[in-house]
Amino acid sequence: MFLQPNDELNVAIVLAQIFTTILVSIISALLCNRFANRAAVCGGYIQSSLASLLSTTLLLLLPFLLTSFTDSHHALDILILLLHHYSLRLGSSLQPIGLTGSIATGKSTVSNLLRSTYNQPIVDVDKIAHSILLPSHPLKAYSQIVKAFGSTILNDDSSRTINRTALGAVIFSDAGKRRVLNKITHPKIRRCMLSQIIYNKVVKNERQVWVDVPLLFESPGLRYLFGLIVVVSTEPELQRKRLEKRNPELTSSQCVDRINSQMPLLEKVKMSHICVNNDGGINDLQSKVHTCVSRVVNGNAFEKGLDKAKILWVAMLICNDDGIGAFGVKMAALAYFTGMAVARR
């Protein structure tokens, strides 16, 4: 039965139910990604099993609760389930996987391995930070930075782009100026970062999204955005040698300044959920990245629960006697969810 436009009570109920569906689904996805996934990845076998069971149970029960007030409006059931699905995807996008480290620890190498070897979607915050410095970027960080630091940080060519080496020399030796730059750039970086995360999770339907964030712990409150945090670490002396080799234009004291401008690696390791130690060669690092990816993928209790929940959603749609028209709509919904499952595989 379809709702009549002049049925004010039913319209009010529908609007309330749509709002409730979106809110409850987002919160449920946040809780599953933050607590169930962490327990599954960081705990033992029993914790992992319980986390997966609780996540699956929650996602299985939610459609029954959300459609319990539709009063046999099966077209509305379909709408609620679709809203439920995309709200879950949106909620899970607000708890991605954070990948961080410190300068010259090998975080970029790990990020490249995740992208090339394991086909994992990566949101690169460094690339975002570089792009917002361009004069043509729509968020207009360029003009604010030039106003704050003067024209001495600009290249002498016709483009008058920001010289990142000159800007780095200023901010890495002066904590006050570094805070000024962060105040200008961080809100814009977060805005671009969130839009890319949501695109990967909701539009591209990715099972997990990694965010490569150099200053994850240094940015106030940013760590609470991530359901899991992976840190790439190395020994301090090896870190300095790698930086000197990577950036020969920097003096030894400049390398030390850049390392000291960031939070000590030991503190980052303590606050992370997974640590990838990069003290060996590339083969050793590849082995550790493989272990890390296996833990994250196998411990994704939310996505495993969502896969099982879709089977019940399809059964809910089909097990109703609504006539040939409604049955056709339900078959279309079945094809839609099946198509997504095949694409994800």
Side-chain angles (χ1 to χ4, degrees), residues 211-234:
V211 186
D212 184 341
V213 194
L215 302 177
L216 191 154
F217 291 113
E218 287 86 347
S219 304
L222 187 59
R223 61 177 171 168
Y224 298 109
L225 173 66
F226 299 96
L228 288 170
I229 297 176
V230 179
V231 167
V232 183
S233 69
T234 190

Short mmCIF file of all heavy atoms in Angstrom, two decimals, residues 211-234:
data_model
loop_
_atom_site.label_atom_id
_atom_site.label_comp_id
_atom_site.label_asym_id
_atom_site.label_seq_id
_atom_site.Cartn_x
_atom_site.Cartn_y
_atom_site.Cartn_z
N VAL A 211 43.77 6.12 5.35
CA VAL A 211 44.09 7.53 5.22
C VAL A 211 45.53 7.74 5.68
O VAL A 211 45.86 7.51 6.85
CB VAL A 211 43.14 8.41 6.05
CG1 VAL A 211 43.41 9.89 5.77
CG2 VAL A 211 41.69 8.09 5.74
N ASP A 212 46.38 8.14 4.75
CA ASP A 212 47.80 8.40 5.02
C ASP A 212 47.92 9.80 5.61
O ASP A 212 47.82 10.79 4.89
CB ASP A 212 48.57 8.26 3.70
CG ASP A 212 50.08 8.40 3.88
OD1 ASP A 212 50.51 8.95 4.91
OD2 ASP A 212 50.82 7.98 2.98
N VAL A 213 48.14 9.86 6.94
CA VAL A 213 48.16 11.14 7.65
C VAL A 213 49.49 11.32 8.39
O VAL A 213 49.72 10.68 9.41
CB VAL A 213 47.01 11.25 8.69
CG1 VAL A 213 46.84 12.67 9.16
CG2 VAL A 213 45.72 10.71 8.13
N PRO A 214 50.39 12.17 7.90
CA PRO A 214 51.69 12.35 8.57
C PRO A 214 51.56 12.87 10.01
O PRO A 214 52.27 12.41 10.90
CB PRO A 214 52.40 13.38 7.68
CG PRO A 214 51.71 13.30 6.36
CD PRO A 214 50.28 12.96 6.67
N LEU A 215 50.66 13.82 10.24
CA LEU A 215 50.55 14.46 11.56
C LEU A 215 49.24 14.08 12.25
O LEU A 215 48.54 14.94 12.78
CB LEU A 215 50.67 15.98 11.41
CG LEU A 215 51.95 16.50 10.76
CD1 LEU A 215 51.91 18.01 10.61
CD2 LEU A 215 53.18 16.09 11.56
N LEU A 216 48.93 12.80 12.25
CA LEU A 216 47.66 12.35 12.82
C LEU A 216 47.56 12.69 14.31
O LEU A 216 46.56 13.24 14.77
CB LEU A 216 47.52 10.84 12.60
CG LEU A 216 46.15 10.20 12.89
CD1 LEU A 216 46.00 8.94 12.06
CD2 LEU A 216 45.97 9.88 14.36
N PHE A 217 48.60 12.36 15.07
CA PHE A 217 48.56 12.60 16.51
C PHE A 217 48.86 14.05 16.87
O PHE A 217 48.44 14.53 17.92
CB PHE A 217 49.55 11.68 17.22
CG PHE A 217 49.16 10.23 17.19
CD1 PHE A 217 49.91 9.31 16.48
CD2 PHE A 217 48.03 9.78 17.86
CE1 PHE A 217 49.56 7.97 16.45
CE2 PHE A 217 47.66 8.44 17.83
CZ PHE A 217 48.43 7.55 17.12
N GLU A 218 49.60 14.74 15.99
CA GLU A 218 49.93 16.15 16.28
C GLU A 218 48.74 17.07 16.08
O GLU A 218 48.71 18.18 16.62
CB GLU A 218 51.08 16.61 15.38
CG GLU A 218 52.45 16.04 15.75
CD GLU A 218 52.71 14.68 15.12
OE1 GLU A 218 51.76 14.06 14.60
OE2 GLU A 218 53.87 14.23 15.15
N SER A 219 47.76 16.64 15.29
CA SER A 219 46.57 17.46 15.02
C SER A 219 45.52 17.21 16.09
O SER A 219 45.07 16.07 16.25
CB SER A 219 46.00 17.11 13.64
OG SER A 219 46.98 17.26 12.64
N PRO A 220 45.13 18.23 16.86
CA PRO A 220 44.21 18.04 17.98
C PRO A 220 42.89 17.40 17.55
O PRO A 220 42.20 17.87 16.65
CB PRO A 220 43.98 19.47 18.48
CG PRO A 220 45.17 20.25 18.03
CD PRO A 220 45.56 19.63 16.72
N GLY A 221 42.54 16.28 18.20
CA GLY A 221 41.26 15.64 17.99
C GLY A 221 41.16 14.79 16.75
O GLY A 221 40.16 14.07 16.57
N LEU A 222 42.17 14.81 15.88
CA LEU A 222 42.06 14.09 14.60
C LEU A 222 42.02 12.58 14.81
O LEU A 222 41.37 11.86 14.05
CB LEU A 222 43.22 14.47 13.68
CG LEU A 222 43.18 13.92 12.25
CD1 LEU A 222 41.91 14.38 11.53
CD2 LEU A 222 44.42 14.33 11.47
N ARG A 223 42.71 12.08 15.84
CA ARG A 223 42.79 10.63 16.02
C ARG A 223 41.43 10.00 16.32
O ARG A 223 41.22 8.81 16.09
CB ARG A 223 43.77 10.28 17.15
CG ARG A 223 43.39 10.83 18.50
CD ARG A 223 44.38 10.37 19.55
NE ARG A 223 44.16 11.05 20.82
CZ ARG A 223 44.73 10.69 21.95
NH1 ARG A 223 45.53 9.66 21.98
NH2 ARG A 223 44.49 11.35 23.06
N TYR A 224 40.47 10.80 16.82
CA TYR A 224 39.15 10.25 17.14
C TYR A 224 38.32 9.98 15.88
O TYR A 224 37.28 9.34 15.95
CB TYR A 224 38.40 11.21 18.06
CG TYR A 224 39.11 11.42 19.38
CD1 TYR A 224 39.74 12.63 19.68
CD2 TYR A 224 39.21 10.39 20.32
CE1 TYR A 224 40.41 12.82 20.86
CE2 TYR A 224 39.89 10.57 21.51
CZ TYR A 224 40.49 11.78 21.78
OH TYR A 224 41.17 11.96 22.96
N LEU A 225 38.79 10.45 14.74
CA LEU A 225 38.11 10.17 13.48
C LEU A 225 38.34 8.74 13.01
O LEU A 225 37.58 8.22 12.21
CB LEU A 225 38.60 11.15 12.41
CG LEU A 225 38.13 10.93 10.97
CD1 LEU A 225 36.62 11.14 10.85
CD2 LEU A 225 38.85 11.87 10.01
N PHE A 226 39.39 8.07 13.53
CA PHE A 226 39.81 6.79 12.99
C PHE A 226 39.44 5.63 13.90
O PHE A 226 39.68 5.67 15.10
CB PHE A 226 41.33 6.81 12.73
CG PHE A 226 41.74 7.86 11.75
CD1 PHE A 226 42.20 9.10 12.18
CD2 PHE A 226 41.64 7.64 10.40
CE1 PHE A 226 42.56 10.08 11.28
CE2 PHE A 226 42.00 8.61 9.48
CZ PHE A 226 42.46 9.84 9.92
N GLY A 227 38.87 4.58 13.28
CA GLY A 227 38.54 3.39 14.03
C GLY A 227 39.78 2.59 14.40
O GLY A 227 39.86 2.02 15.49
N LEU A 228 40.74 2.54 13.50
CA LEU A 228 42.02 1.86 13.74
C LEU A 228 43.14 2.80 13.32
O LEU A 228 43.01 3.55 12.34
CB LEU A 228 42.12 0.57 12.94
CG LEU A 228 41.26 -0.61 13.38
CD1 LEU A 228 41.33 -1.71 12.32
CD2 LEU A 228 41.72 -1.16 14.72
N ILE A 229 44.26 2.73 14.04
CA ILE A 229 45.42 3.54 13.70
C ILE A 229 46.64 2.64 13.58
O ILE A 229 46.95 1.87 14.49
CB ILE A 229 45.68 4.64 14.75
CG1 ILE A 229 44.49 5.61 14.80
CG2 ILE A 229 46.96 5.40 14.43
CD1 ILE A 229 44.60 6.67 15.89
N VAL A 230 47.31 2.72 12.43
CA VAL A 230 48.52 1.96 12.15
C VAL A 230 49.69 2.93 12.11
O VAL A 230 49.65 3.93 11.38
CB VAL A 230 48.41 1.20 10.82
CG1 VAL A 230 49.70 0.43 10.52
CG2 VAL A 230 47.22 0.25 10.84
N VAL A 231 50.74 2.63 12.88
CA VAL A 231 51.92 3.49 12.93
C VAL A 231 53.12 2.76 12.32
O VAL A 231 53.36 1.59 12.64
CB VAL A 231 52.25 3.92 14.38
CG1 VAL A 231 53.64 4.53 14.47
CG2 VAL A 231 51.23 4.92 14.87
N VAL A 232 53.85 3.44 11.45
CA VAL A 232 55.10 2.93 10.90
C VAL A 232 56.24 3.55 11.71
O VAL A 232 56.36 4.78 11.77
CB VAL A 232 55.26 3.27 9.41
CG1 VAL A 232 56.54 2.65 8.86
CG2 VAL A 232 54.05 2.80 8.62
N SER A 233 57.05 2.72 12.35
CA SER A 233 58.10 3.23 13.24
C SER A 233 59.47 2.72 12.82
O SER A 233 59.59 1.77 12.04
CB SER A 233 57.82 2.80 14.69
OG SER A 233 58.00 1.40 14.83
N THR A 234 60.50 3.35 13.36
CA THR A 234 61.88 2.94 13.13
C THR A 234 62.75 3.50 14.25
O THR A 234 62.30 4.34 15.04
CB THR A 234 62.37 3.43 11.75
OG1 THR A 234 63.63 2.82 11.46
CG2 THR A 234 62.54 4.95 11.73
#
